[in-house]
Amino acid sequence: GAGVSQSPRYKVAKRGQDVALRCDPISGHVSLFWYQQALGQGPEFLTYFQNEAQLDKSGLPSDRFFAERPEGSVSTLKIQRTQQEDSAVYLCASNMGVLQSPLHFGNGTRLTVT
Amino acid sequence: TQLLEQSPQFLSIQEGENLTVYCNSSSVFSSLQWYRQEPGEGPVLLVTVVTGGEVKKLKRLTFQFGDARKDSSLHITAAQPGDTGLYLCAGAKAGGTSYGKLTFGQGTILTVHP
């Protein structure tokens, strides 16, 4: 496809369960970003990859959050022992990784923790 | 922590009216981007402003970057129902190298009534 693809679109988890969210960026995009968007708020940065290297994970809210991009393309955001406050839309975005390269967002995964 | 204050949070107007959305910060940004987000979708980039004092026009939308690169505005002329959506401003940190790690405002929900 031409755009950033995320799956699943919706995920309901019971508190304490582990979840894995997938992002398939635009082909050729070296940079990949994860953002968290709470209801009624703007997105907040979580983490950033350049190819397979995770260069910035300063936005991950706790050590329950883990992201990987082992082959420099598809990325997975894993949340262990989910809590209610983890409920949000998780957005993935990618770009060419050069100055003023536009950021392309996927449609997100809406996570609801019950 | 860099913060972007966006105002107003909600805007409900009639078709044909003009409106302005503001994005303010005490921090300097290397660039400021404006996005539009529809329900259930990811943000879509409208414009990037880079130079202090820069003005860009996109049909009925006019974007301005403040001289000190700390604030920006979005002005819509003769709003139409199709303009309805969530508008987000986002700043890239001065000196940053990720070219995609952005600080977002909390968004403005615009509703244009026919």
Side-chain angles (χ1 to χ4, degrees), chain B residues 22-78:
Chain B
Y22 299 93
C23 187
N24 296 292
S25 177
S26 58
S27 301
V28 176
F29 293 97
S30 63
S31 66
L32 210 300
Q33 301 176 11
W34 285 91
Y35 291 82
R36 180 177 159 190
Q37 186 176 21
E38 302 282 356
E41 299 182 6
V44 175
L45 180 66
L46 296 174
V47 78
T48 300
V49 285
V50 180
T51 306
E54 182 177 4
V55 177
K56 280 192 175 179
K57 291 192 175 185
L58 186 66
K59 296 183 181 178
R60 295 175 293 101
L61 278 60
T62 301
F63 305 85
Q64 186 161 6
F65 202 10
D67 291 341
R69 292 187 291 141
K70 294 182 179 181
D71 55 85
S72 181
S73 64
L74 157 61
H75 183 79
I76 302 179
T77 304

Side-chain angles (χ1 to χ4, degrees), chain A residues 9 33 35 37 56 95 106-107, chain B residues 37 40 42 99-102 104:
Chain A
R9 284 301 313 273
F33 303 81
Y35 283 82
Q37 187 172 24
D56 188 335
N95 68 10
N107 288 334
Chain B
Q37 186 176 21
Y99 307 127
K101 180 180 180 180
L102 302 173
F104 279 84

Side-chain angles (χ1 to χ4, degrees), chain A residues 10-29:
Chain A
Y10 304 92
K11 177 68 179 178
V12 179
K14 291 187 186 300
R15 191 174 59 179
Q17 283 185 334
D18 298 348
V19 298
L21 313 180
R22 176 189 168 105
C23 173
D24 204 334
I26 292 173
S27 178
H29 278 191

Side-chain angles (χ1 to χ4, degrees), chain A residues 9 31 33 35 37 40-45 48 50 56 58 91 95 97-103 105-108, chain B residues 9 31 33 35 37 40-45 48 50 56 86 88 97-107 109:
Chain A
R9 284 301 313 273
S31 294
F33 303 81
Y35 283 82
Q37 187 172 24
Q41 300 294 317
E44 291 192 3
F45 171 80
Y48 150 61
Q50 184 165 318
D56 188 335
S58 61
L91 294 165
N95 68 10
V98 296
L99 184 62
Q100 295 188 40
S101 174
L103 203 55
F105 281 87
N107 288 334
Chain B
Q9 192 174 355
S31 66
Q33 301 176 11
Y35 291 82
Q37 186 176 21
E41 299 182 6
V44 175
L45 180 66
T48 300
V50 180
K56 280 192 175 179
L86 173 66
L88 295 158
T97 58
S98 72
Y99 307 127
K101 180 180 180 180
L102 302 173
T103 299
F104 279 84
Q106 65 266 51
I109 298 175

